[in-house]
Short mmCIF file of all heavy atoms in Angstrom, two decimals:
data_model
loop_
_atom_site.label_atom_id
_atom_site.label_comp_id
_atom_site.label_asym_id
_atom_site.label_seq_id
_atom_site.Cartn_x
_atom_site.Cartn_y
_atom_site.Cartn_z
N LEU A 1 0.84 -1.20 0.00
CA LEU A 1 0.00 0.00 0.00
C LEU A 1 0.87 1.25 0.00
O LEU A 1 1.78 1.39 0.81
CB LEU A 1 -0.90 -0.01 1.23
CG LEU A 1 -2.12 0.87 1.22
CD1 LEU A 1 -3.04 0.51 0.06
CD2 LEU A 1 -2.88 0.73 2.52
N VAL A 2 0.59 2.15 -0.91
CA VAL A 2 1.34 3.40 -1.02
C VAL A 2 0.51 4.52 -0.41
O VAL A 2 -0.61 4.78 -0.85
CB VAL A 2 1.65 3.72 -2.50
CG1 VAL A 2 2.33 5.07 -2.62
CG2 VAL A 2 2.48 2.61 -3.12
N LEU A 3 1.05 5.16 0.59
CA LEU A 3 0.37 6.29 1.21
C LEU A 3 0.86 7.57 0.55
O LEU A 3 2.06 7.79 0.42
CB LEU A 3 0.66 6.32 2.71
CG LEU A 3 0.19 5.09 3.48
CD1 LEU A 3 0.61 5.18 4.93
CD2 LEU A 3 -1.31 4.92 3.36
N LEU A 4 -0.06 8.39 0.13
CA LEU A 4 0.29 9.60 -0.59
C LEU A 4 0.66 10.76 0.33
O LEU A 4 1.33 11.68 -0.08
CB LEU A 4 -0.85 10.01 -1.51
CG LEU A 4 -1.23 8.97 -2.56
CD1 LEU A 4 -2.43 9.45 -3.37
CD2 LEU A 4 -0.06 8.66 -3.46
N ARG A 5 0.20 10.69 1.57
CA ARG A 5 0.49 11.77 2.52
C ARG A 5 1.09 11.18 3.79
O ARG A 5 0.73 10.07 4.20
CB ARG A 5 -0.77 12.54 2.85
CG ARG A 5 -1.34 13.25 1.62
CD ARG A 5 -2.68 13.82 1.93
NE ARG A 5 -3.61 12.71 2.14
CZ ARG A 5 -4.84 12.68 1.66
NH1 ARG A 5 -5.30 13.69 0.98
NH2 ARG A 5 -5.63 11.65 1.87
N THR A 6 1.95 11.91 4.43
CA THR A 6 2.63 11.39 5.61
C THR A 6 1.69 11.23 6.80
O THR A 6 1.97 10.44 7.70
CB THR A 6 3.79 12.32 6.04
OG1 THR A 6 3.28 13.63 6.23
CG2 THR A 6 4.87 12.32 4.98
N ASN A 7 0.58 11.93 6.83
CA ASN A 7 -0.32 11.81 7.97
C ASN A 7 -1.45 10.79 7.75
O ASN A 7 -2.34 10.67 8.58
CB ASN A 7 -0.90 13.17 8.36
CG ASN A 7 -1.61 13.86 7.23
OD1 ASN A 7 -1.48 13.48 6.07
ND2 ASN A 7 -2.37 14.88 7.57
N ASP A 8 -1.42 10.04 6.65
CA ASP A 8 -2.36 8.94 6.47
C ASP A 8 -1.99 7.81 7.43
O ASP A 8 -0.82 7.55 7.66
CB ASP A 8 -2.32 8.41 5.04
CG ASP A 8 -2.94 9.37 4.04
OD1 ASP A 8 -3.60 10.33 4.47
OD2 ASP A 8 -2.76 9.16 2.83
N LYS A 9 -2.99 7.16 7.98
CA LYS A 9 -2.75 6.13 8.98
C LYS A 9 -3.48 4.84 8.61
O LYS A 9 -4.59 4.88 8.12
CB LYS A 9 -3.23 6.60 10.34
CG LYS A 9 -2.65 7.93 10.76
CD LYS A 9 -2.25 7.94 12.18
CE LYS A 9 -1.71 9.26 12.65
NZ LYS A 9 -0.94 10.05 11.78
N ILE A 10 -2.84 3.70 8.89
CA ILE A 10 -3.44 2.39 8.65
C ILE A 10 -3.40 1.60 9.96
O ILE A 10 -2.38 1.56 10.62
CB ILE A 10 -2.68 1.60 7.58
CG1 ILE A 10 -2.62 2.39 6.28
CG2 ILE A 10 -3.32 0.24 7.35
CD1 ILE A 10 -1.71 1.77 5.25
N THR A 11 -4.53 0.99 10.28
CA THR A 11 -4.62 0.15 11.46
C THR A 11 -5.11 -1.22 11.01
O THR A 11 -5.96 -1.32 10.14
CB THR A 11 -5.63 0.73 12.48
OG1 THR A 11 -5.20 2.04 12.83
CG2 THR A 11 -5.73 -0.12 13.71
N VAL A 12 -4.57 -2.27 11.61
CA VAL A 12 -4.99 -3.64 11.30
C VAL A 12 -5.84 -4.15 12.46
O VAL A 12 -5.49 -3.96 13.63
CB VAL A 12 -3.77 -4.56 11.08
CG1 VAL A 12 -4.23 -5.98 10.79
CG2 VAL A 12 -2.90 -4.04 9.95
N SER A 13 -6.94 -4.81 12.11
CA SER A 13 -7.84 -5.38 13.11
C SER A 13 -8.30 -6.76 12.65
O SER A 13 -8.32 -7.04 11.45
CB SER A 13 -9.06 -4.48 13.30
OG SER A 13 -10.01 -5.09 14.15
N THR A 14 -8.68 -7.58 13.59
CA THR A 14 -9.28 -8.87 13.25
C THR A 14 -10.77 -8.66 12.99
O THR A 14 -11.34 -7.63 13.35
CB THR A 14 -9.12 -9.89 14.40
OG1 THR A 14 -9.82 -9.39 15.54
CG2 THR A 14 -7.65 -10.12 14.73
N HIS A 15 -11.40 -9.65 12.36
CA HIS A 15 -12.84 -9.57 12.11
C HIS A 15 -13.61 -9.44 13.43
O HIS A 15 -14.59 -8.72 13.52
CB HIS A 15 -13.32 -10.81 11.35
CG HIS A 15 -13.00 -10.76 9.90
ND1 HIS A 15 -11.80 -11.18 9.39
CD2 HIS A 15 -13.72 -10.33 8.84
CE1 HIS A 15 -11.80 -11.03 8.08
NE2 HIS A 15 -12.95 -10.51 7.72
N LYS A 16 -13.15 -10.14 14.45
CA LYS A 16 -13.84 -10.16 15.73
C LYS A 16 -13.89 -8.78 16.37
O LYS A 16 -14.90 -8.40 16.96
CB LYS A 16 -13.14 -11.15 16.67
CG LYS A 16 -13.80 -11.30 18.01
CD LYS A 16 -13.08 -12.32 18.85
CE LYS A 16 -13.75 -12.47 20.20
NZ LYS A 16 -13.08 -13.46 21.03
N ASN A 17 -12.83 -8.01 16.26
CA ASN A 17 -12.75 -6.70 16.91
C ASN A 17 -13.11 -5.54 16.00
O ASN A 17 -13.13 -4.39 16.43
CB ASN A 17 -11.33 -6.47 17.44
CG ASN A 17 -10.95 -7.47 18.49
OD1 ASN A 17 -11.79 -7.96 19.22
ND2 ASN A 17 -9.68 -7.79 18.56
N ALA A 18 -13.38 -5.80 14.74
CA ALA A 18 -13.52 -4.74 13.74
C ALA A 18 -14.63 -3.74 14.06
O ALA A 18 -14.42 -2.53 13.96
CB ALA A 18 -13.75 -5.35 12.36
N LYS A 19 -15.79 -4.21 14.42
CA LYS A 19 -16.91 -3.30 14.67
C LYS A 19 -16.60 -2.36 15.83
O LYS A 19 -16.84 -1.16 15.74
CB LYS A 19 -18.20 -4.07 14.93
CG LYS A 19 -19.42 -3.19 15.00
CD LYS A 19 -20.69 -3.99 15.10
CE LYS A 19 -21.89 -3.07 15.18
NZ LYS A 19 -23.14 -3.80 15.31
N LYS A 20 -16.04 -2.89 16.90
CA LYS A 20 -15.69 -2.08 18.07
C LYS A 20 -14.62 -1.04 17.71
O LYS A 20 -14.72 0.12 18.08
CB LYS A 20 -15.18 -2.97 19.19
CG LYS A 20 -14.83 -2.21 20.46
CD LYS A 20 -14.06 -3.10 21.40
CE LYS A 20 -14.88 -3.48 22.58
NZ LYS A 20 -14.10 -4.25 23.57
N VAL A 21 -13.60 -1.45 16.95
CA VAL A 21 -12.55 -0.53 16.53
C VAL A 21 -13.13 0.57 15.65
O VAL A 21 -12.80 1.74 15.81
CB VAL A 21 -11.43 -1.29 15.78
CG1 VAL A 21 -10.45 -0.34 15.13
CG2 VAL A 21 -10.70 -2.25 16.71
N LEU A 22 -14.01 0.20 14.75
CA LEU A 22 -14.61 1.16 13.82
C LEU A 22 -15.50 2.17 14.54
O LEU A 22 -15.47 3.36 14.22
CB LEU A 22 -15.40 0.42 12.75
CG LEU A 22 -15.94 1.24 11.60
CD1 LEU A 22 -14.79 1.87 10.82
CD2 LEU A 22 -16.77 0.38 10.68
N GLU A 23 -16.26 1.71 15.52
CA GLU A 23 -17.18 2.59 16.25
C GLU A 23 -16.44 3.69 17.00
O GLU A 23 -16.96 4.77 17.19
CB GLU A 23 -18.02 1.78 17.23
CG GLU A 23 -19.05 0.92 16.58
CD GLU A 23 -19.77 0.01 17.55
OE1 GLU A 23 -19.22 -0.32 18.62
OE2 GLU A 23 -20.90 -0.38 17.22
N ASN A 24 -15.24 3.40 17.46
CA ASN A 24 -14.49 4.34 18.29
C ASN A 24 -13.36 5.01 17.52
O ASN A 24 -12.27 5.21 18.05
CB ASN A 24 -13.91 3.61 19.51
CG ASN A 24 -14.99 2.99 20.35
OD1 ASN A 24 -15.98 3.63 20.64
ND2 ASN A 24 -14.82 1.75 20.73
N SER A 25 -13.62 5.36 16.25
CA SER A 25 -12.53 5.87 15.43
C SER A 25 -13.02 6.87 14.40
O SER A 25 -14.21 7.14 14.29
CB SER A 25 -11.87 4.71 14.71
OG SER A 25 -12.77 4.20 13.74
N LEU A 26 -12.07 7.36 13.62
CA LEU A 26 -12.37 8.27 12.52
C LEU A 26 -12.02 7.65 11.18
O LEU A 26 -11.67 8.35 10.24
CB LEU A 26 -11.59 9.58 12.70
CG LEU A 26 -11.93 10.38 13.94
CD1 LEU A 26 -10.99 11.57 14.07
CD2 LEU A 26 -13.38 10.84 13.90
N TYR A 27 -12.09 6.33 11.06
CA TYR A 27 -11.74 5.67 9.80
C TYR A 27 -12.71 6.07 8.71
O TYR A 27 -13.91 6.14 8.91
CB TYR A 27 -11.74 4.14 9.97
CG TYR A 27 -10.70 3.67 10.92
CD1 TYR A 27 -11.04 3.22 12.18
CD2 TYR A 27 -9.35 3.71 10.57
CE1 TYR A 27 -10.07 2.80 13.07
CE2 TYR A 27 -8.38 3.32 11.46
CZ TYR A 27 -8.74 2.86 12.70
OH TYR A 27 -7.78 2.47 13.58
N SER A 28 -12.16 6.32 7.53
CA SER A 28 -12.99 6.68 6.38
C SER A 28 -12.99 5.59 5.32
O SER A 28 -13.86 5.54 4.48
CB SER A 28 -12.52 8.00 5.77
OG SER A 28 -11.15 7.94 5.44
N VAL A 29 -11.99 4.70 5.37
CA VAL A 29 -11.87 3.62 4.40
C VAL A 29 -11.60 2.32 5.16
O VAL A 29 -10.78 2.28 6.08
CB VAL A 29 -10.72 3.89 3.40
CG1 VAL A 29 -10.54 2.72 2.45
CG2 VAL A 29 -10.95 5.17 2.64
N VAL A 30 -12.28 1.26 4.74
CA VAL A 30 -12.06 -0.07 5.30
C VAL A 30 -11.66 -1.01 4.17
O VAL A 30 -12.32 -1.05 3.14
CB VAL A 30 -13.32 -0.61 6.00
CG1 VAL A 30 -13.16 -2.06 6.40
CG2 VAL A 30 -13.67 0.24 7.21
N ILE A 31 -10.57 -1.72 4.36
CA ILE A 31 -10.19 -2.80 3.45
C ILE A 31 -10.56 -4.09 4.17
O ILE A 31 -9.99 -4.42 5.20
CB ILE A 31 -8.69 -2.78 3.11
CG1 ILE A 31 -8.31 -1.45 2.46
CG2 ILE A 31 -8.34 -3.96 2.20
CD1 ILE A 31 -6.82 -1.27 2.25
N LEU A 32 -11.55 -4.79 3.64
CA LEU A 32 -12.07 -6.00 4.28
C LEU A 32 -11.53 -7.22 3.55
O LEU A 32 -11.90 -7.47 2.39
CB LEU A 32 -13.60 -5.98 4.25
CG LEU A 32 -14.32 -7.21 4.79
CD1 LEU A 32 -13.99 -7.44 6.26
CD2 LEU A 32 -15.82 -7.06 4.60
N HIS A 33 -10.65 -7.95 4.20
CA HIS A 33 -10.12 -9.19 3.63
C HIS A 33 -11.08 -10.31 4.00
O HIS A 33 -11.27 -10.61 5.17
CB HIS A 33 -8.72 -9.49 4.17
CG HIS A 33 -8.18 -10.80 3.71
ND1 HIS A 33 -7.65 -11.72 4.58
CD2 HIS A 33 -8.11 -11.35 2.48
CE1 HIS A 33 -7.25 -12.77 3.89
NE2 HIS A 33 -7.53 -12.58 2.62
N GLU A 34 -11.68 -10.91 3.00
CA GLU A 34 -12.65 -11.98 3.23
C GLU A 34 -12.13 -13.25 2.60
O GLU A 34 -12.08 -13.36 1.38
CB GLU A 34 -14.00 -11.57 2.65
CG GLU A 34 -15.15 -12.41 3.10
CD GLU A 34 -15.30 -12.47 4.61
OE1 GLU A 34 -15.63 -11.45 5.23
OE2 GLU A 34 -15.09 -13.56 5.17
N ASP A 35 -11.74 -14.18 3.45
CA ASP A 35 -11.19 -15.43 2.93
C ASP A 35 -12.02 -16.65 3.30
O ASP A 35 -11.63 -17.77 3.04
CB ASP A 35 -9.75 -15.63 3.40
CG ASP A 35 -9.64 -15.75 4.90
OD1 ASP A 35 -10.63 -15.48 5.59
OD2 ASP A 35 -8.56 -16.12 5.38
N SER A 36 -13.19 -16.41 3.87
CA SER A 36 -14.01 -17.54 4.31
C SER A 36 -14.67 -18.27 3.14
O SER A 36 -15.01 -19.44 3.26
CB SER A 36 -15.08 -17.07 5.29
OG SER A 36 -16.03 -16.27 4.62
N GLY A 37 -14.89 -17.57 2.04
CA GLY A 37 -15.58 -18.18 0.91
C GLY A 37 -17.08 -18.29 1.11
O GLY A 37 -17.79 -18.82 0.27
N GLN A 38 -17.56 -17.79 2.23
CA GLN A 38 -18.98 -17.85 2.54
C GLN A 38 -19.64 -16.51 2.22
O GLN A 38 -19.36 -15.51 2.87
CB GLN A 38 -19.19 -18.18 4.01
CG GLN A 38 -18.57 -19.48 4.45
CD GLN A 38 -19.24 -20.67 3.80
OE1 GLN A 38 -20.46 -20.69 3.61
NE2 GLN A 38 -18.45 -21.66 3.44
N ILE A 39 -20.50 -16.50 1.22
CA ILE A 39 -21.15 -15.27 0.79
C ILE A 39 -21.95 -14.64 1.94
O ILE A 39 -21.87 -13.43 2.17
CB ILE A 39 -22.07 -15.52 -0.42
CG1 ILE A 39 -21.22 -15.93 -1.62
CG2 ILE A 39 -22.92 -14.30 -0.74
CD1 ILE A 39 -22.02 -16.37 -2.82
N GLU A 40 -22.67 -15.45 2.68
CA GLU A 40 -23.51 -14.93 3.77
C GLU A 40 -22.66 -14.26 4.84
O GLU A 40 -23.01 -13.22 5.37
CB GLU A 40 -24.34 -16.06 4.40
CG GLU A 40 -25.33 -16.69 3.45
CD GLU A 40 -24.70 -17.76 2.54
OE1 GLU A 40 -23.60 -18.25 2.85
OE2 GLU A 40 -25.30 -18.06 1.51
N SER A 41 -21.51 -14.85 5.14
CA SER A 41 -20.61 -14.28 6.14
C SER A 41 -20.07 -12.93 5.68
O SER A 41 -19.97 -11.98 6.47
CB SER A 41 -19.46 -15.25 6.40
OG SER A 41 -18.49 -14.67 7.22
#
């Protein structure tokens, strides 16, 4: 990943903690890695 500005920030979270991390933050973009192969999930 190439960051265009020095003040851009990336945080890594697990699926289990993602909602809690997102609720308490200012994230504007989420990259969701989905490897379960389950459409419903």
